[in-house]
Amino acid sequence: MNHRNEDSRVTEPPAPPAPPRKGPPAPPAAPRPTAGPPPLPAASEAALDPPEVTPVAAPSVETPEGSRWKNPPPVTVPTEADSGQAESEVEVETPLWRRWWDQAVDASPPWLVSFVFHLAVLIVLALLTIAEPAVDTVMLVLDPSLATEEGLDDDDLQTEMIEPDVEMPELALDDLAVDEPLADLPEVEIDLSVLAAAADIQATSIGAALAGREAGNKQALLAKYGGTPVTEEAVALALGWLKRQQRSDGTWSLTGPYSNGGFPENRVAATAMALLAFQGAGITPQRGKYKAEVAKGARALLKMQQRDGFFKWPSGSQHHQLYAHAQAMIAICELYGMTKNPKYKKPAEKAVQFAVRSQTPQGGWRYQIGVDADLSVTGWFLMGLQSARMAGLEVPKETLYRISEFLDSLQTSGGSRYRYRRGEGGATPSMTAEGLLCRQYLGWEQDDPRLVRGVRTLVGRRIDYKTGSPDVYYWYYATQVCHHQEGEAWEKWNAAMRERVPQAQVKVGKEKGSWDPRRDAWGNLGGRLYTTCLSTYMLEVYYRHLPIYSYRKKKK
């Protein structure tokens, strides 16, 4: 697949599935307009202040003694004819309900009448008040597929006003909170002796980078980096949706059983992505709300690893195979790093060894083992190697150096932007985000001018579902880059991310907790599980990986 120029909005392949052809996919259909929230009812003066009523004295009616609860005689009302004739009497029949009411009022003490009247006024005012939606009500767009089932068109997007749940869901491993996250963790050192020819590469030992998921740190990191009850509620809903999609053999699928699945099938990729969503929230086979699902999924993933370490799904497009291996490598290395269970160590080591052996002469990876390289596949492999280092596993420094050289061949604008393949097209937003994340992992300093310029470019293209085509692939990488960069860049990015990503989540129906892929740039290939997992990773960013520059210490 080719990536064209940096002005194109969508030019790079999704992850995990790569398109089954070399040319770029057809651009996504133009987004359909989404219905906005219904206007709040206008509060008129008449609705807020009842009109004044001038009391009219009723005519005195004489009734025999002891007959207060009997029907009074008809009321006689004098009228004057226009011709000036003498007054005549017209008999008007009083309605039965009015006569009963008058009798009840006459028999009641004044204080009771006043009490009933004011109570009625209060009830009316209360009804007028609750008729208007609360200011902080969230507008949620329902899955258009639900409308189709009822005979409506896809364009008739349904909306519903739903109050957000402000309670923090029980995703933390316990209720323990700390004032300063990771204050007692061992200092993390950086090995500066990588290679003489690449002194700027810092092979960071980042074993503590997974510690944000541990007991006691999660809540503190949420508060420190701007997570909210709304983002955590969205994560909880997403994990619930993923639980419902797990197959009986422990795997997940890219194609279904949910609506709007991807194509073609790759159980390795789907299972790895689902496990990463659970693990990002701190759930392992030994602990957490979904530990049984994670244990079952981990067993299924290991069954798909070959003797040479390659995680491979035997059918489907070969373009997906190395994407899937890189994602499975991340998942299994995280499992070992989080649990230190020996049964995950050997599979993780074998996955890393396969990655090292399959690195191409260009310094990266692509669709075939040992052949060609592109930044999209290479970025996933580098994240897998970083996960291995987080778990304390060995990664050859030469492998990291060759990745850095490959990035040099892709950079534009002095290193602040990146293209998809060497000598092919211009820089694109998603490749720039992926390239900058790789540079952060490989040792660029936080104040490196190239990194600062690149991050400024990302912040200028913040998350927006309303204009253009959503692109969770770009957003996923840019979220990580800005989180590691911290400061003003992260504050600006997070201000949009933590509001708009939860708002786009499906909140009702059979797909509750997922994200609809139909408008996404690569959703037609990755499908609903792909868009849901990457969206979940974004909302877990506060504790999923610790910010590189705040939680590492250079070795002097």
Side-chain angles (χ1 to χ4, degrees), residues 43-51 128:
S44 64
E45 295 182 2
L48 299 178
D49 299 314
L128 289 174

Side-chain angles (χ1 to χ4, degrees), residues 404-452:
S404 180
E405 283 190 323
F406 175 60
L407 291 172
D408 290 342
S409 71
L410 302 179
Q411 69 183 22
T412 68
S413 303
S416 62
R417 300 186 182 189
Y418 293 83
R419 59 170 62 91
Y420 172 57
R421 294 178 66 192
R422 180 183 300 177
E424 184 176 303
T428 66
S430 58
M431 292 299 97
T432 294
E434 193 165 357
L436 292 176
L437 180 63
C438 291
R439 294 297 199 183
Q440 288 176 321
Y441 278 149
L442 291 174
W444 276 16
E445 295 291 347
Q446 188 176 21
D447 59 355
D448 189 304
R450 299 166 294 181
L451 179 59
V452 173

Side-chain angles (χ1 to χ4, degrees), residues 302-433:
L302 290 177
K303 290 179 181 178
M304 293 185 282
Q305 187 179 34
Q306 299 181 341
R307 290 185 178 181
D308 60 356
F310 187 21
F311 284 95
K312 183 178 180 182
W313 177 247
S315 62
S317 171
Q318 295 302 307
H319 290 183
H320 292 184
Q321 300 293 358
L322 288 181
Y323 270 118
H325 175 82
Q327 291 164 334
M329 177 168 55
I330 299 172
I332 201 67
C333 288
E334 282 191 1
L335 276 171
Y336 175 64
M338 295 173 70
T339 65
K340 294 302 179 183
N341 190 326
K343 74 177 181 180
Y344 300 125
K345 184 176 182 181
K346 189 64 175 178
E349 289 177 335
K350 291 173 65 176
V352 172
Q353 292 163 6
F354 176 84
V356 172
R357 292 195 308 270
S358 62
Q359 188 176 25
T360 69
Q362 290 92 341
W365 294 261
R366 201 169 187 234
Y367 300 151
Q368 300 179 39
I369 298 173
V371 180
D372 208 351
D374 67 56
L375 181 50
S376 180
V377 180
T378 299
W380 285 98
F381 267 85
L382 178 57
M383 287 191 294
L385 297 174
Q386 286 298 102
S387 295
R389 297 163 71 201
M390 294 176 193
L393 302 178
E394 291 293 328
V395 175
K397 296 175 182 177
E398 172 67 22
T399 301
L400 302 177
Y401 170 62
R402 292 173 63 193
I403 295 174
S404 180
E405 283 190 323
F406 175 60
L407 291 172
D408 290 342
S409 71
L410 302 179
Q411 69 183 22
T412 68
S413 303
S416 62
R417 300 186 182 189
Y418 293 83
R419 59 170 62 91
Y420 172 57
R421 294 178 66 192
R422 180 183 300 177
E424 184 176 303
T428 66
S430 58
M431 292 299 97
T432 294

Side-chain angles (χ1 to χ4, degrees), residues 234-247:
V235 171
L237 289 175
L239 298 185
W241 181 84
L242 287 171
K243 174 187 182 299
R244 298 194 300 273
Q245 311 312 316
Q246 189 174 27
R247 300 172 61 88

